[in-house]
Amino acid sequence: MPSVIYHPAYRNYSFGEHHSFSPKRVEMMLDLLEALGHRVETVEPQPATRNEILGVHEDYYVRRVEALSAGEDVPDCQDYGLGTPDNPVFLGMDEAARWLVGGALHGVRLICEKGEKRVLQLGGGLHHARRNVASGFCIYNDLAIAISALARHGFWVAYLDIDVHHGDGVQQILYDDRRVLTISLHESGRYLFPGTGEIHELGLGAARGLKLNVPLEPFTDGESYLEVLDAVVPPALRQFRPAVLVVQSGADAHFADPLADLMLTTRDYDAIFRRVLGWADEFTSGRVLFTLGGGYSLDAAARVWALLYLLIHGLPVPEELPEAWRNRWSSTFEHGPPMTLHDPNPGQAERPNREEIARRNRQVAQHLLETARHYWF
Ligand SMILES: [Zn+2]
């Protein structure tokens, strides 16, 4: 039975009512699952301790987060990415971020100590946070902290990041760690925040060839996305032979996302999640820890993550969405209430440059593999 990790304190990780990163997404998802007749049983973590945060972050950075969190004035906070439009300061931000890290660490304990296989952490995925800088709505890097903890337990980790933005913080923190393979598929940094994630960013020293980036063209559709995912991930996993998969399941590559330009539908996410679960069975004895991540169309993110929950549990995927749920959240739907869990066919087949985009993505994936393979033997 998969474990789902959640605590109501996760809702406190909020930069304010009008900020894109909204805790409402998880509330909508949980409410949808309940409306579909599923009793969502969750296990509650503890917040991460200060020492656990210091496993990855610099003490001088954590002290600034703590001071701002307590309402103190920190004149140089913007030098550390704090108090910016992306990462506004809020009271209690240190503790709120530590709860999310604690959830990921609880997932690590379930896998390492209890022998659990499928674990879903209903939050986090804060992949942009650096050792000493907050970035892109991310204060503490729950993923890097959890991955480092897995590696200390002797579990080599493959990290897969399907968020539409490059997983730059995770990559940078683990750039020279040969116990960790990172793979990030994202809209190319030429067009999108944070601007990194090129194929030549391959890792350092003994870890060279273990940090893989697939920068995708804007308007990449699901067919092309799945083609490069299939081209890159299985050979890398076969080569690296990880003990566990960690997946950042950002939902912002969805076509409705207001912050990015990829064109995935919920059916594509369905295909991605089924593949990931299959790869976990094939390469890591089923061990996989999913976190959430970006996702700024509330409606799309709630449906994508409800889908993830259903697939992890091997539950059937319904078509119709419950009317009561649609009514309860009617004010949040950007384009009117969705009627079905899966998107109606958006008719992408007619996009004029579809073939050209697929060709460029295919070339990037091939070039990446050719270069990375050089370091694999
Ligand atoms: Zn993102």
Side-chain angles (χ1 to χ4, degrees):
M1 182 71 177
S3 285
V4 179
I5 302 169
Y6 180 70
H7 193 282
Y10 288 8
R11 287 198 286 257
N12 298 337
Y13 192 85
S14 171
F15 297 99
E17 186 68 21
H18 301 293
H19 191 280
S20 303
F21 194 96
S22 173
K24 258 192 202 155
R25 308 169 303 170
V26 177
E27 278 180 64
M28 285 174 77
M29 172 221 180
L30 288 170
D31 190 42
L32 172 55
L33 290 166
E34 301 267 341
L36 286 166
H38 302 294
R39 261 193 71 226
V40 179
E41 289 186 15
T42 57
V43 290
E44 294 194 348
Q46 296 290 316
T49 64
R50 188 173 200 278
N51 266 343
E52 286 167 334
I53 301 298
L54 291 174
V56 155
H57 293 284
E58 302 290 351
D59 182 68
Y60 60 82
Y61 171 67
V62 175
R63 274 191 274 119
R64 282 168 171 83
V65 176
E66 289 167 339
L68 292 166
S69 183
E72 296 168 26
D73 192 26
V74 178
D76 63 355
C77 65
Q78 295 208 347
D79 296 345
Y80 300 89
L82 297 159
T84 61
D86 267 8
N87 317 305
V89 169
F90 61 94
L91 290 177
M93 67 195 288
D94 168 61
E95 194 182 9
R98 282 193 290 110
W99 269 105
L100 295 177
V101 177
L105 285 173
H106 196 72
V108 170
R109 282 189 282 275
L110 292 176
I111 290 171
C112 294
E113 293 164 18
K114 309 271 185 203
E116 298 208 10
K117 303 285 189 187
R118 295 180 176 183
V119 178
L120 172 60
Q121 143 77 336
L122 282 184
L126 303 175
H127 61 167
H128 296 305
R130 307 287 181 107
R131 286 188 188 278
N132 57 358
V133 180
S135 173
F137 322 152
C138 306
I139 298 170
Y140 295 144
N141 199 313
D142 56 322
L143 293 156
I145 293 170
I147 291 168
S148 300
L150 283 163
R152 276 199 304 280
H153 275 89
F155 285 69
W156 286 33
V157 184
Y159 169 70
L160 176 62
D161 187 321
I162 62 165
D163 192 282
V164 79
H165 302 94
H166 175 223
D168 58 338
V170 179
Q171 174 181 294
Q172 194 204 38
I173 291 166
L174 302 166
Y175 207 51
D176 59 355
D177 194 332
R178 63 189 289 269
R179 303 166 301 178
V180 184
L181 167 74
T182 65
I183 308 174
S184 176
L185 279 82
H186 44 264
E187 182 175 342
S188 167
R190 275 176 292 149
Y191 308 100
L192 191 66
F193 177 89
T196 50
E198 292 298 315
I199 58 174
H200 61 79
E201 298 167 28
L202 283 165
L204 207 60
R208 191 139 178 92
L210 298 180
K211 315 298 157 186
L212 306 182
N213 288 291
V214 190
L216 298 164
E217 292 290 314
F219 309 111
T220 292
D221 66 10
E223 198 180 320
S224 173
Y225 190 100
L226 290 164
E227 184 190 339
V228 297
L229 188 75
D230 285 340
V232 171
V233 179
L237 296 180
R238 201 167 288 123
Q239 170 65 24
F240 185 68
R241 295 206 253 157
V244 58
L245 269 177
V246 173
V247 183
Q248 200 272 21
S249 317
D252 45 8
H254 189 274
F255 70 85
D257 196 275
L259 299 193
D261 316 295
L262 297 200
M263 300 299 288
L264 301 196
T265 66
T266 52
R267 287 186 202 282
D268 301 318
Y269 276 100
D270 188 311
I272 293 167
F273 293 143
R274 286 178 199 272
R275 275 168 171 76
V276 171
L277 292 168
W279 291 328
D281 288 341
E282 189 179 347
F283 295 106
T284 61
S285 309
R287 285 187 286 265
V288 55
L289 168 62
F290 290 91
T291 72
L292 304 185
Y296 308 102
S297 158
L298 301 184
D299 148 39
R303 285 182 295 129
V304 165
W305 293 334
L307 183 61
L308 174 60
Y309 175 96
L310 295 172
L311 294 175
I312 286 175
H313 288 79
L315 292 165
V317 176
E319 266 312 302
E320 296 288 308
L321 290 172
E323 192 179 349
W325 180 80
R326 286 191 273 124
N327 290 340
R328 265 199 297 280
W329 296 97
S330 59
S331 64
T332 60
F333 300 125
E334 300 89 350
H335 309 288
M339 303 303 284
T340 53
L341 190 134
H342 277 310
D343 302 307
N345 186 346
Q348 290 166 18
E350 296 84 50
R351 291 188 66 87
N353 50 353
R354 203 172 149 260
E355 287 300 323
E356 176 59 17
I357 288 170
R359 192 186 63 76
R360 286 195 214 162
N361 289 336
R362 195 176 301 131
Q363 271 184 349
V364 163
Q366 281 168 358
H367 190 188
L368 167 68
L369 281 174
E370 280 162 21
T371 321
R373 274 207 175 97
H374 188 68
Y375 300 96
W376 286 357
F377 298 101

